[in-house]
């Protein structure tokens, strides 16, 4: 079976709910143009249609993008027809989904299909959930607790309560000493390369010794028109703006509000070439045009 039930980890308005799952009926490469495609639908479809798009594999997830060419719809239709009729599909290369854990839906197209076609795809591509036979339960006679065990439990409970009270008291007295610092810096400006306004927000986290430990940063691109946003997504321009550190970064998009957002967590190591002392780092960010706000936190 080529399909799999996957969790939607990023989504547009087509699947606008958290913890949402979809049936992915197949990811395949069309050998004539060497492009990847994906076909899928809701796990509980209320309409007889199938979503499809061009596809990219990113770590353990799949990316779905809308296509713009009519001939690509015909390629998907041919794949569906040959799959449900179990015909020779040598012009297609099926991609294994064994290591894939989620799907990011940036854009998609739709094809109307008959209900029986949708049911055939589900039966032929989506693995059936395994059912386990109920295990025979063996009831063991309960043992009566002796008075000695009950007394021991009471002593442990009383001792634990005293320890908890003393620990809480000591924590309050040392609260000020254990307080660490962070500051948040923001900046907004017009992009030189996109028809969009860029909003940056970086949160700097410091140790008790006021040395920088890591930075959590976000960039939000607010496009000034629907057309410029769609060109950015559908033509794949957004790939240039995704952070290179895939392990510590992510991106999302909001089709309704024409926004694209990236996040990045930077861990401070020997390759970091900016100030790491609290006061020096704060001064540097203000000199670079950021508006910064200091705060205390555990």
């Amino acid at each position: 079976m080529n399909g799999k039930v996957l969790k939607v980890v990023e989504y547009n308005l087509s699947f606008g709910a958290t913890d949402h799952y979809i049936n992915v009926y197949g990811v395949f490469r069309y050998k004539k143009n060497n492009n990847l495609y994906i076909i899928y639908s809701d796990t509980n479809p209320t309409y007889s249609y199938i979503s499809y798009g061009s596809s990219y594999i990113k770590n353990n997830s799949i990316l779905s993008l809308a296509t713009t060419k009519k001939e690509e719809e015909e390629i998907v239709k041919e794949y569906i027809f040959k799959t449900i009729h179990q015909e020779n599909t040598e012009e297609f290369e099926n991609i294994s989904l064994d290591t894939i854990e989620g799907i990011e839906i940036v854009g998609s197209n739709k094809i109307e299909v008959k209900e029986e076609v949708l049911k055939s795809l589900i039966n032929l591509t989506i693995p059936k959930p395994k059912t386990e036979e109920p295990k025979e339960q063996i009831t063991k006679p309960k043992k009566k607790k002796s008075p000695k065990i009950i007394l021991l439990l009471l002593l442990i409970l009383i001792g634990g309560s005293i320890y908890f009270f003393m620990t809480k008291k000591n924590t309050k007295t040392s609260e000020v000493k254990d307080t660490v610092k962070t500051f948040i810096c923001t900046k907004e400006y017009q992009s030189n390369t996109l028809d969009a306004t860029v909003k940056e927000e970086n949160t700097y986290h410091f140790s008790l010794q006021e040395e920088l430990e890591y930075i959590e940063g976000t960039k939000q691109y607010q496009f000034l028109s629907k057309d410029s946003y769609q060109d950015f997504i559908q033509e794949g321009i957004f790939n240039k703006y995704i952070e290179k550190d895939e392990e510590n970064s992510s991106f999302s998009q909001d089709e309704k509000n024409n926004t694209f957002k990236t996040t990045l967590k930077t861990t401070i190591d020997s390759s970091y070439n900016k100030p790491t002392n609290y006061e020096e780092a704060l001064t540097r960010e203000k000199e670079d045009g950021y508006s910064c706000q200091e705060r205390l936190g555990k």
Side-chain angles (χ1 to χ4, degrees):
M1 291 186 171
N2 303 323
K4 191 175 184 180
V5 177
L6 293 178
K7 182 177 180 180
V8 181
V9 293
E10 296 289 349
Y11 48 85
N12 61 15
L13 296 179
S14 299
F15 297 97
T18 56
D19 294 332
H20 195 93
Y21 291 84
I22 62 174
N23 288 332
V24 176
Y25 304 116
V27 176
F28 63 91
R29 186 185 307 279
Y30 187 55
K31 294 180 181 179
K32 292 182 180 180
N33 62 13
N34 204 37
N35 290 339
L36 280 180
Y37 299 95
I38 182 171
I39 54 174
Y40 54 91
S41 73
D42 197 287
T43 51
N44 296 302
T46 54
Y47 302 99
S48 293
Y49 70 83
I50 292 175
S51 298
Y52 74 93
S54 60
S55 183
Y56 298 91
I57 295 178
K58 175 188 174 185
N59 295 333
N60 293 328
S61 65
I62 296 177
L63 185 69
S64 171
L65 296 170
T67 63
T68 57
K69 297 178 181 179
K70 180 64 177 177
E71 56 264 30
E72 293 183 300
E73 179 178 329
E74 299 303 318
I75 292 171
V76 173
K77 286 182 177 179
E78 181 183 359
Y79 178 83
I80 293 172
F81 179 86
K82 291 191 173 183
T83 298
I84 63 176
H85 291 90
Q86 301 184 46
E87 295 185 2
N88 190 309
T89 57
E90 61 182 10
E91 66 268 46
F92 303 102
E93 176 192 351
N94 287 309
I95 306 301
S96 173
L97 301 179
D98 290 346
T99 60
I100 302 301
E101 299 175 355
I103 178 172
E104 302 178 19
I105 302 175
V106 177
S108 63
N109 307 78
K110 293 179 181 178
I111 301 175
E112 289 190 19
V113 296
K114 294 181 179 180
E115 186 176 350
E116 53 265 31
V117 172
L118 191 57
K119 288 181 178 179
S120 294
L121 273 176
I122 294 172
N123 291 332
L124 290 170
T125 65
I126 302 300
K128 302 296 185 293
K130 296 181 179 179
T131 56
E132 295 183 357
E133 295 183 359
K135 297 180 179 178
E136 186 179 351
Q137 292 184 351
I138 301 174
T139 56
K140 296 181 179 180
K142 294 182 179 179
K143 294 181 180 180
K144 293 183 179 180
K145 295 181 179 179
S146 67
K148 290 183 179 180
I149 295 177
I150 295 174
L151 180 60
L152 180 61
L153 290 174
L154 285 174
L155 290 174
I156 293 173
L157 180 63
I158 294 171
S161 300
I162 296 172
Y163 175 78
F164 175 79
F165 174 78
M166 295 302 295
T167 303
K168 188 174 181 181
K169 183 178 179 181
N170 291 336
T171 301
K172 288 183 177 180
T173 58
S174 61
E175 201 170 41
V176 176
K177 183 174 64 177
D178 292 341
T179 300
V180 296
K181 291 183 178 180
T182 62
F183 63 75
I184 302 174
C185 294
T186 58
K187 183 164 66 171
E188 184 174 338
Y189 55 90
Q190 178 65 38
S191 172
N192 294 327
T193 55
L194 299 172
D195 184 27
T197 300
V198 183
K199 296 180 181 179
E200 292 188 34
E201 180 176 298
N202 299 314
T203 303
Y204 290 73
H205 297 264
F206 292 82
S207 67
L208 294 174
Q209 291 73 36
E210 297 193 354
E211 283 295 314
L212 184 60
E213 292 186 331
Y214 64 95
I215 306 168
E216 294 176 308
T218 64
K219 281 186 182 179
Q220 178 171 290
Y221 300 85
Q222 177 66 60
F223 286 85
L224 305 181
S225 70
K226 189 72 174 179
D227 290 341
S228 60
Y229 170 77
Q230 290 180 341
D231 290 343
F232 178 77
I233 296 297
Q234 295 180 2
E235 294 179 12
I237 301 172
F238 70 92
N239 284 297
K240 299 178 182 178
Y241 294 85
I242 297 174
E243 301 291 350
K244 295 180 180 179
D245 185 359
E246 294 184 353
E247 185 176 347
N248 296 302
S249 66
S250 63
F251 66 91
S252 61
Q253 52 85 39
D254 185 344
E255 185 177 346
K256 182 178 179 180
N257 296 309
N258 303 327
T259 59
F260 180 81
K261 184 178 180 180
T262 64
T263 64
L264 175 66
K265 181 177 179 179
T266 303
T267 303
I268 307 306
D269 55 23
S270 58
S271 63
Y272 187 77
N273 57 7
K274 292 184 178 181
T276 57
N277 174 267
Y278 182 89
E279 293 297 337
E280 293 176 356
L282 180 60
T283 300
R284 172 64 180 268
E285 292 305 296
K286 290 181 179 179
E287 290 176 349
D288 288 343
Y290 288 87
S291 175
C292 300
Q293 181 179 0
E294 301 179 69
R295 69 180 186 186
L296 299 177
K298 290 294 291 178

